[in-house]
Coordinates of all heavy atoms in Angstrom, one line a residue:
S13 N 180.7 100.3 35.3 CA 180.7 99.9 36.7 C 182.0 99.3 37.1 O 182.9 99.1 36.2 CB 179.6 98.9 37.0 OG 178.3 99.6 36.8
G14 N 182.3 99.0 38.4 CA 183.5 98.4 38.8 C 184.5 99.4 39.3 O 185.6 99.1 39.7
H15 N 184.1 100.7 39.4 CA 185.0 101.8 39.9 C 184.5 102.4 41.1 O 185.0 103.5 41.5 CB 185.1 102.9 38.8 CG 185.5 102.4 37.4 ND1 186.7 101.7 37.2 CD2 184.8 102.4 36.2 CE1 186.8 101.4 35.9 NE2 185.7 101.8 35.3
Y16 N 183.5 101.9 41.9 CA 183.0 102.5 43.0 C 184.0 103.1 44.0 O 185.0 102.4 44.2 CB 182.0 101.6 43.8 CG 181.3 102.4 44.9 CD1 180.1 103.1 44.6 CD2 181.8 102.4 46.2 CE1 179.5 103.8 45.5 CE2 181.1 103.2 47.1 CZ 180.0 103.9 46.8 OH 179.4 104.6 47.8
P17 N 183.8 104.3 44.5 CA 182.6 105.1 44.4 C 182.3 105.9 43.2 O 181.3 106.5 43.1 CB 182.8 106.1 45.6 CG 184.3 106.2 45.7 CD 184.8 104.9 45.4
A18 N 183.2 105.9 42.2 CA 182.8 106.4 40.9 C 181.8 105.4 40.3 O 182.1 104.2 40.2 CB 184.1 106.5 40.0
F19 N 180.7 105.9 39.9 CA 180.4 107.3 39.7 C 179.1 107.6 40.6 O 178.9 108.8 40.9 CB 180.1 107.6 38.3 CG 181.3 107.4 37.4 CD1 181.5 106.2 36.8 CD2 182.2 108.4 37.3 CE1 182.7 106.0 36.0 CE2 183.4 108.2 36.5 CZ 183.6 107.0 35.9
A20 N 178.4 106.6 41.0 CA 177.2 106.9 41.7 C 177.5 107.5 43.1 O 176.7 108.2 43.6 CB 176.4 105.5 41.9
G21 N 178.6 107.2 43.7 CA 179.0 107.7 45.0 C 179.2 109.2 45.0 O 179.4 109.8 46.1
Y22 N 179.3 109.8 43.8 CA 179.5 111.2 43.7 C 178.2 112.1 43.7 O 178.3 113.3 43.6 CB 180.2 111.6 42.4 CG 181.6 111.0 42.2 CD1 182.2 111.0 41.0 CD2 182.3 110.4 43.3 CE1 183.5 110.4 40.8 CE2 183.6 109.9 43.1 CZ 184.1 109.9 41.8 OH 185.4 109.3 41.6
V23 N 177.1 111.4 43.8 CA 175.8 112.1 43.6 C 175.3 112.6 44.9 O 175.2 111.9 45.9 CB 174.7 111.2 43.0 CG1 173.4 111.9 42.9 CG2 175.2 110.7 41.6
G24 N 175.1 113.9 45.0 CA 174.6 114.6 46.2 C 174.8 116.1 46.0 O 175.5 116.6 45.1
P25 N 174.2 116.9 47.0 CA 174.4 118.3 46.9 C 175.9 118.8 46.9 O 176.7 118.2 47.6 CB 173.7 118.8 48.2 CG 172.8 117.7 48.5 CD 173.4 116.4 48.1
G26 N 176.2 119.7 46.0 CA 177.5 120.2 45.9 C 178.4 119.4 44.9 O 179.5 119.8 44.7
L27 N 177.9 118.3 44.4 CA 178.7 117.5 43.5 C 177.8 117.2 42.3 O 177.4 118.0 41.6 CB 179.4 116.3 44.1 CG 180.8 116.0 43.7 CD1 181.6 115.2 44.8 CD2 180.9 115.4 42.4
A28 N 177.5 115.9 42.0 CA 176.8 115.5 40.8 C 175.3 115.4 41.1 O 174.8 115.1 42.2 CB 177.3 114.2 40.3
D29 N 174.5 115.7 40.1 CA 173.1 115.6 40.2 C 172.6 114.2 39.8 O 171.5 113.8 40.1 CB 172.4 116.6 39.3 CG 172.7 118.0 39.7 OD1 172.0 118.5 40.7 OD2 173.6 118.7 39.2
A30 N 173.4 113.5 39.0 CA 173.0 112.1 38.6 C 174.3 111.4 38.1 O 175.3 112.0 37.8 CB 172.0 112.2 37.4
A31 N 174.2 110.1 38.0 CA 175.2 109.3 37.5 C 174.7 108.2 36.6 O 173.6 107.6 37.0 CB 176.1 108.7 38.6
V32 N 175.3 107.9 35.5 CA 174.9 106.8 34.6 C 175.9 105.7 34.8 O 177.1 105.9 34.9 CB 175.0 107.3 33.2 CG1 174.2 106.3 32.3 CG2 174.4 108.7 33.0
A33 N 175.4 104.4 34.9 CA 176.3 103.3 35.1 C 176.1 102.2 34.0 O 175.0 101.7 33.8 CB 176.0 102.7 36.5
G34 N 177.2 101.9 33.4 CA 177.2 100.8 32.4 C 177.5 99.5 33.1 O 177.6 99.4 34.3
D35 N 177.7 98.4 32.3 CA 178.2 97.2 32.9 C 179.6 97.3 33.4 O 180.2 98.4 33.2 CB 178.1 96.1 31.8 CG 177.8 94.7 32.4 OD1 178.1 94.5 33.6 OD2 177.5 93.8 31.7
V36 N 180.2 96.3 34.0 CA 181.5 96.3 34.5 C 182.5 96.7 33.4 O 182.6 96.0 32.4 CB 181.9 95.0 35.2 CG1 183.4 95.1 35.6 CG2 181.0 94.7 36.3
F37 N 183.2 97.8 33.6 CA 184.2 98.3 32.6 C 183.6 98.6 31.2 O 184.4 98.6 30.3 CB 185.4 97.3 32.5 CG 186.2 97.2 33.8 CD1 187.1 96.2 33.9 CD2 185.9 98.0 34.9 CE1 187.9 96.0 35.1 CE2 186.6 97.8 36.1 CZ 187.6 96.8 36.2
A38 N 182.3 98.8 31.1 CA 181.7 99.0 29.8 C 180.9 100.3 29.9 O 180.3 100.6 30.8 CB 180.8 97.9 29.4
S39 N 181.0 101.1 28.8 CA 180.3 102.4 28.7 C 178.8 102.2 28.9 O 178.3 101.2 28.3 CB 180.6 103.1 27.4 OG 179.8 104.2 27.2
P40 N 178.1 103.0 29.5 CA 176.6 103.0 29.5 C 176.2 103.3 28.1 O 176.9 104.0 27.3 CB 176.2 104.1 30.5 CG 177.4 105.0 30.6 CD 178.6 104.2 30.4
S41 N 175.0 102.8 27.7 CA 174.5 103.0 26.4 C 174.1 104.4 26.2 O 173.8 105.2 27.1 CB 173.3 102.0 26.1 OG 172.2 102.4 26.9
T42 N 174.0 104.8 24.9 CA 173.4 106.1 24.5 C 172.1 106.3 25.2 O 171.8 107.4 25.7 CB 173.3 106.2 23.0 OG1 174.7 106.2 22.5 CG2 172.7 107.6 22.6
A43 N 171.2 105.3 25.1 CA 169.8 105.5 25.6 C 169.9 105.7 27.1 O 169.1 106.5 27.6 CB 169.0 104.2 25.3
A44 N 170.8 105.0 27.8 CA 170.8 105.2 29.3 C 171.3 106.6 29.6 O 170.8 107.2 30.5 CB 171.8 104.1 29.9
V45 N 172.3 107.1 28.9 CA 172.8 108.4 29.2 C 171.7 109.4 29.0 O 171.5 110.3 29.8 CB 174.0 108.7 28.3 CG1 174.5 110.2 28.5 CG2 175.2 107.8 28.6
A46 N 171.0 109.3 27.8 CA 170.0 110.3 27.5 C 168.8 110.2 28.6 O 168.3 111.2 29.0 CB 169.4 110.0 26.1
R47 N 168.5 109.0 29.0 CA 167.4 108.8 29.9 C 167.7 109.5 31.3 O 166.9 110.2 31.8 CB 167.1 107.3 30.1 CG 166.0 107.0 31.1 CD 165.9 105.5 31.3 NE 165.9 104.7 30.1 CZ 166.9 103.8 29.8 NH1 168.0 103.7 30.5 NH2 166.7 103.1 28.7

């Protein structure tokens, strides 16, 4: 997180189907990505 609109702001028809968000400047966990 901390990069808005990356990455959640990209979700919608014609672009992304989903976005995973970690903590500020931290990668989302493996479990979150898989989920």
Side-chain angles (χ1 to χ4, degrees):
S13 296
H15 305 300
Y16 187 82
F19 297 91
Y22 299 165
V23 176
L27 221 158
D29 294 280
V32 197
D35 207 344
V36 176
F37 295 171
S39 170
S41 70
T42 297
V45 176
R47 181 188 307 115

